[in-house]
Amino acid sequence: MSVDMARLDAFMGHFVTDLGATLHAGMVVIGDSLGLYKALATGPMTAGELAQRTDTDERYVREWLSSQAAGGYVQYDAATRRFSMTEEQAFALADEDSPGYIPGAFELATASLRAVPDLIERFHNGKGLGWHEHDAGLFHGTERFFRPGYNAHLVQEWIPALDGVEAKLQRGAKVADIGCGHGASTIIMAQAYPKSSFVGFDYHAPSIERARKAAKRAGVSDRVKFEVATAKDYPGKDYDFVTVFDCLHDMGDPVGAASHIRESLKPDGTWMIVEPFANDRLEDNINPVGRVFYSVSTLVCTPASRAQEIGLCLGAQAGETRVHEVVGDGGFKRFRRATETPFNLVYEARP
């Protein structure tokens, strides 16, 4: 082998960054779970002051704060020996209503990694790993990761980008939210459009139970129901609007799901499909966002699809052309990209 030492040094620097980021994910989950970020966001503190405020052990907190300062997630003033957070850090780490709130992403990541021993075996035997087989932290982290984006974009941008849908929802429409998980997307829509009725469907019964409780807390139980059902067998006809958020690529038979959605819609109904942002070609997805989505797809999405019938395995980076093919094979005649964000593509499909 002929090793270029400069290139090796650069790669090792990349490795150190990745190793630190991997370990740092656990630090974020700890800080989020214990309320350390929320407490520190109120003002500068020493490790002892933060520990007293959060009823935690000072020595552990001091080590945690040191890791956060080294990682750029908090500030450290050597003169006063106090730690603090900038407005931007607090916005992302301490404010759960912020569109940039990120701790859920780290909860999702750490929970998905618990499946690695099982996935090593699956790489040999080709079997799937169902969504329901993962650590429960994955379900909670996924809802917390996606909810800020839905809060920021769903009602304000995505629905208005669809042809005539917002007016229907304002007048009163019948809506099905497929693969609703803990119900964040369903509840956001129900809060925005009180004259419409909503049903959230998911095959994962524990998630449906969480969604029902969330709807009650949000005060929308009068117009929101949650039921256990798959994308290919959920009940109901003549829906004005059907939504699928970040889960079409997880389905074993997305064509079959598309066909069932088509049958459940009114002739003038609309299907909104929200998928992770992806270009059609691998070489155009070799970037930080693509890295995140391909990794999650390896850990969660592709095994989930493989665990179901057909096992088409679209993957989280399927791209517009592939999604269009699936939707067309399901019987939809009209398809377009309605809008996008750096993390999502929003498609509109009509019969």
Side-chain angles (χ1 to χ4, degrees):
M1 295 178 62
S2 178
V3 176
D4 183 317
M5 293 307 297
R7 293 176 62 182
L8 178 61
D9 288 344
F11 180 77
M12 295 305 291
H14 187 66
F15 148 73
V16 171
T17 299
D18 283 353
L19 180 61
T22 303
L23 296 170
H24 189 82
M27 300 299 99
V28 175
V29 172
I30 289 172
D32 175 56
S33 299
L34 296 174
L36 298 175
Y37 291 122
K38 289 182 174 67
L40 189 61
T42 63
M45 299 182 196
T46 63
E49 291 167 341
L50 181 58
Q52 185 175 22
R53 177 75 68 87
T54 55
D55 192 27
T56 52
D57 180 81
E58 178 180 354
R59 184 64 187 87
Y60 278 121
V61 169
R62 174 155 45 95
E63 208 71 4
W64 177 83
L65 282 167
S66 299
S67 81
Q68 296 302 284
Y73 275 44
V74 307
Q75 307 299 302
Y76 178 62
D77 185 335
T80 63
R81 307 189 74 176
R82 277 181 162 79
F83 298 85
S84 62
M85 299 179 74
T86 66
E87 293 290 337
E88 294 75 20
Q89 289 166 338
F91 183 79
L93 293 164
D95 181 2
E96 293 200 40
D97 294 324
S98 154
Y101 187 67
I102 60 175
F106 291 98
E107 184 178 8
L108 182 162
T110 55
S112 66
L113 288 170
R114 296 187 181 109
V116 166
D118 290 326
L119 286 170
I120 291 172
E121 180 182 355
R122 266 55 169 196
F123 266 69
H124 284 293
N125 61 33
K127 295 180 180 180
L129 184 73
W131 174 261
H132 60 282
E133 297 180 82
H134 282 271
D135 183 271
L138 177 63
F139 319 139
H140 190 229
T142 297
E143 189 269 342
R144 296 180 74 213
F145 173 53
F146 284 118
R147 178 162 37 87
Y150 298 161
N151 273 327
H153 301 290
L154 174 53
V155 173
Q156 297 87 338
E157 300 168 19
W158 296 350
I159 289 175
L162 306 175
D163 185 16
V165 171
E166 185 175 41
K168 286 185 180 181
L169 292 169
Q170 290 169 341
R171 290 193 303 266
K174 182 180 177 182
V175 183
D177 187 12
I178 313 305
C180 65
H182 287 186
S185 52
T186 326
I187 291 168
I188 290 168
M189 291 189 290
Q191 290 172 323
Y193 305 107
K195 293 183 179 180
S196 293
S197 62
F198 300 83
V199 186
F201 297 106
D202 200 289
Y203 92 94
H204 189 238
S207 290
I208 289 296
E209 286 301 315
R210 288 288 295 264
R212 288 169 177 163
K213 293 176 182 177
K216 187 174 182 180
R217 289 194 303 270
V220 295
S221 295
D222 61 321
R223 55 189 182 275
V224 176
K225 295 191 302 180
F226 290 101
E227 299 180 11
V228 177
T230 73
K232 290 176 62 176
D233 67 10
Y234 67 87
K237 295 286 186 180
D238 295 326
Y239 289 104
D240 297 287
F241 187 40
V242 174
T243 59
V244 173
F245 291 89
D246 290 295
C247 64
L248 183 69
H249 62 272
D250 296 309
M251 297 178 188
D253 182 13
V255 174
S259 178
H260 185 66
I261 290 169
R262 170 67 184 85
E263 293 173 359
S264 76
L265 276 171
K266 287 182 177 178
D268 64 345
T270 301
W271 177 21
M272 180 173 72
I273 307 151
V274 179
E275 279 287 291
F277 187 95
N279 297 295
D280 289 328
R281 302 184 305 172
L282 169 60
E283 55 265 36
D284 296 325
N285 294 323
I286 299 177
N287 54 56
V289 173
R291 182 192 196 193
V292 169
F293 285 138
Y294 278 124
S295 296
V296 173
S297 190
T298 304
L299 292 166
V300 179
C301 310
T302 302
S305 179
R306 181 62 66 84
Q308 302 167 56
E309 60 177 339
I310 307 298
L312 191 63
C313 299
L314 283 177
Q317 293 287 271
E320 182 172 348
T321 298
R322 191 71 182 94
V323 172
H324 190 180
E325 291 172 354
V326 165
V327 172
D329 289 345
F332 285 84
K333 304 302 182 185
R334 289 174 286 177
F335 177 91
R336 71 181 181 96
R337 183 189 300 198
T339 188
E340 63 187 65
T341 73
F343 295 100
N344 286 106
L345 292 173
V346 180
Y347 305 111
E348 177 183 25
R350 306 188 70 179

